Amino acid sequence: MKHLIKNIGQLATPLGNAAHCGPEQAEIKYYKDAWIAVADDGTIAAVGEGEIPAEYAQADTVTDACGKLVTPGLVDAHTHLVFGGWREHELALKLKGVAYLDILAQGGGILSTVRNTRKATEEELADKAEEALAMMLEMGTTTCEAKSGYGLTVEDELKQLRAVKRLNGTQPVELVPTFLGAHAVPEEYKEDREEYIRIVCEEMIPKVAEEGLAEFCDVFCETGVFTAEESRRILEAGKQYGLMPKIHADEINPIGGTELTAELGAVSAEHLIVATDEGIAAMKAGGTVACCLPATSFYLNASFARARDMVSAGVPVAIATDFNPGSCPNLSLQFAMNLGCYKYRLTPEEVLTAVTLNAAAAIKRAESIGSIEPGKKADLVIWKADNLDFILYRFGNNLAGTVIKEGNTVVKR
Ligand code: NIG
Ligand code: FE
């Protein structure tokens, strides 16, 4: 065996290879006095309670979990990881009451990050993102989705996605790339948005697909950004090139984005702060994962998505950070988990599923990560906590201790 993790006081994990919805979202398998054996290829060979069978007892590395809690590695299913600059100057504007979309309409917001991202080289972008990834890893995130969307030219979008590709393998966090060329209409196409949409569909998407730089296509469907009809066109174009659809919908105004999920077969819909009952029904019909981003609500001082209603409606709920320089400069999935309990009123069990198995499903990885079961990657967190409730009850601290990625100890604290 490559690695044996023993003396686990409580092991908490959802089970299965697909998203959990409704009452299943709260189904967590608990093991007491547990152990995990990791095979040479970094996958889980066996999990058990009590005495370790002789065939698993010998390992190259043995980690004593000292009676602590172990969960699957956290999966952050929605980030804007790669960007130039920051936007701390916008905080004062926000405090004065200037709205997020007004800052954007005045050429700030996303467009200010676009200017900084265009100026940066691929290497500079990758170096900056690597720092963020190191912090995420320390906080227990072992897989992270990463969107483009701050380049908004063919070359600058490719540059962002190439930075993501470069980081896959040079540091431990596994990255899942999403093309988000339709994140905003760039300033130079303000008067000709139709031409920008053409470039996204006919130039960017084919290039991204040809270079194999993304698995998903996403659109910011919002007032003053892209309409529901435009979003549909862009996501359909992505599908033709094999990019699976995701959509930023109902973040600020309900303009029909979530309602598109069923007909598009969207893998996930994100934000959903003001999602309607029709939108929730569409996600249910489409088998779409609701990816809720509570730290963004918190930072924008907005209301919180109706995650409880989504669970009741049988829609699988994931929780992610939305890490980005504008609406959520936070990369702690632990903080988003806390808000999942305090603001969405989800239980610790529902939240654990939201950041592991359901998050994995939101990025089409539920067969390989998101739970602790034989055959899945040995992505694990040994917490500075005795039980699951404890990590949701405490907040504002990093409670992740040892982090293991594919069987290798990558953080020890
Ligand atoms: O998910 N809403 C659109 N995109 C990001 C924000 C990007 C930014 O402000 O830079 C989000 O919140
Ligand atoms: Fe986002």
Side-chain angles (χ1 to χ4, degrees):
M1 289 291 124
K2 178 189 177 84
H3 199 159
L4 173 71
I5 300 103
K6 64 175 191 183
N7 197 15
I8 300 169
Q10 185 185 76
L11 189 159
T13 180
L15 294 176
N17 289 343
H20 281 181
C21 61
E24 257 201 327
Q25 173 128 13
E27 275 176 23
I28 294 296
K29 167 87 177 163
Y30 288 104
Y31 297 82
K32 258 195 252 165
D33 182 22
W35 51 267
I36 301 167
V38 181
D40 290 338
D41 65 357
T43 62
I44 295 168
V47 185
E49 274 182 343
E51 188 138 350
I52 304 165
E55 57 187 309
Y56 302 122
Q58 300 300 317
D60 299 343
T61 309
V62 177
T63 297
D64 184 343
C66 299
K68 295 295 175 190
L69 166 73
V70 171
T71 69
L74 306 180
V75 179
D76 195 341
H78 180 138
T79 83
H80 303 254
L81 174 74
V82 178
F83 53 85
W86 290 93
R87 307 224 294 272
E88 66 272 30
H89 59 280
E90 286 179 8
L91 175 58
L93 293 174
K94 287 196 176 96
L95 295 176
K96 275 191 211 150
V98 185
Y100 177 79
L101 287 179
D102 290 341
I103 297 175
L104 177 62
Q106 287 155 21
I110 295 173
L111 295 174
S112 113
T113 300
V114 167
R115 289 188 286 277
N116 284 322
T117 305
R118 285 179 179 176
K119 272 188 236 152
T121 64
E122 179 189 319
E123 197 180 358
E124 285 165 348
L125 292 173
D127 287 350
K128 182 162 185 237
E130 192 165 359
E131 281 180 34
L133 287 167
M135 288 189 198
M136 288 178 171
L137 191 67
E138 288 230 328
M139 288 192 264
T141 300
T142 48
T143 303
C144 168
E145 185 250 19
K147 301 176 195 293
S148 67
Y150 292 120
L152 311 188
T153 65
V154 176
E155 267 316 305
D156 290 306
E157 285 294 304
L158 294 176
K159 177 176 75 180
Q160 270 190 285
L161 291 169
R162 288 184 189 130
V164 173
K165 187 170 185 177
R166 179 196 281 241
L167 287 165
N168 237 341
T170 60
Q171 53 74 51
V173 181
E174 180 180 345
L175 296 175
V176 177
T178 295
F179 167 66
L180 177 57
H183 194 196
V185 176
E187 278 162 314
E188 60 276 20
Y189 288 103
K190 215 168 154 184
E191 306 307 326
D192 193 1
R193 52 187 301 111
E194 198 41 51
E195 174 59 7
Y196 184 66
I197 294 169
R198 189 199 65 74
I199 292 169
V200 169
C201 296
E202 295 178 17
E203 296 182 23
M204 293 183 188
I205 287 174
K207 267 262 175 214
V208 166
E210 187 190 318
E211 280 197 40
L213 286 172
E215 296 177 28
F216 298 94
C217 182
D218 195 347
V219 176
F220 186 15
C221 180
E222 186 56 70
T223 307
V225 192
F226 295 95
T227 65
E229 198 36 53
E230 290 165 347
S231 302
R232 181 209 312 266
R233 274 168 56 199
I234 294 162
L235 293 175
E236 288 288 5
K239 272 168 78 172
Q240 279 175 11
Y241 283 88
L243 301 179
M244 294 175 273
K246 283 178 171 284
I247 187 164
H248 276 68
D250 291 330
E251 178 176 0
I252 298 160
N253 297 304
I255 62 162
T258 312
E259 286 81 344
L260 292 176
T261 51
E263 65 165 285
L264 287 168
V267 176
S268 65
E270 336 258 319
H271 285 289
L272 308 168
I273 294 174
V274 292
T276 62
D277 290 345
E278 292 72 29
I280 293 173
M283 287 191 286
K284 168 82 184 141
T288 302
V289 178
C291 190
C292 297
L293 311 168
T296 306
S297 288
F298 175 82
Y299 185 70
L300 294 182
N301 204 18
S303 57
F304 285 79
R306 291 189 292 144
R308 260 269 56 91
D309 290 346
M310 294 173 197
V311 171
S312 301
V315 176
V317 170
I319 291 176
T321 60
D322 193 23
F323 173 56
N324 73 73
S327 67
C328 193
N330 158 65
L331 46 69
S332 167
L333 200 42
Q334 291 179 49
F335 179 58
M337 291 165 71
N338 289 123
L339 294 175
C341 280
Y342 311 157
K343 293 296 186 176
Y344 292 157
R345 314 308 287 177
L346 300 184
T347 65
E349 286 83 4
E350 288 169 329
V351 167
L352 182 64
T353 299
V355 293
T356 55
L357 188 60
N358 284 3
I363 52 172
K364 286 278 184 202
R365 291 288 192 282
E367 285 178 10
S368 57
I369 56 170
S371 64
I372 301 175
E373 293 175 83
K376 288 217 180 175
K377 289 184 182 173
D379 293 0
L380 309 165
V381 181
I382 305 175
W383 295 88
K384 296 187 178 200
D386 294 343
N387 57 67
L388 178 62
D389 285 348
F390 192 83
I391 62 171
L392 280 314
Y393 147 76
R394 298 280 308 276
F395 71 100
N397 311 290
N398 181 11
L399 294 177
T402 297
V403 181
I404 295 170
K405 176 70 191 168
E406 293 190 53
N408 298 312
T409 302
V410 287
V411 175
K412 209 165 175 64
R413 30 185 315 277

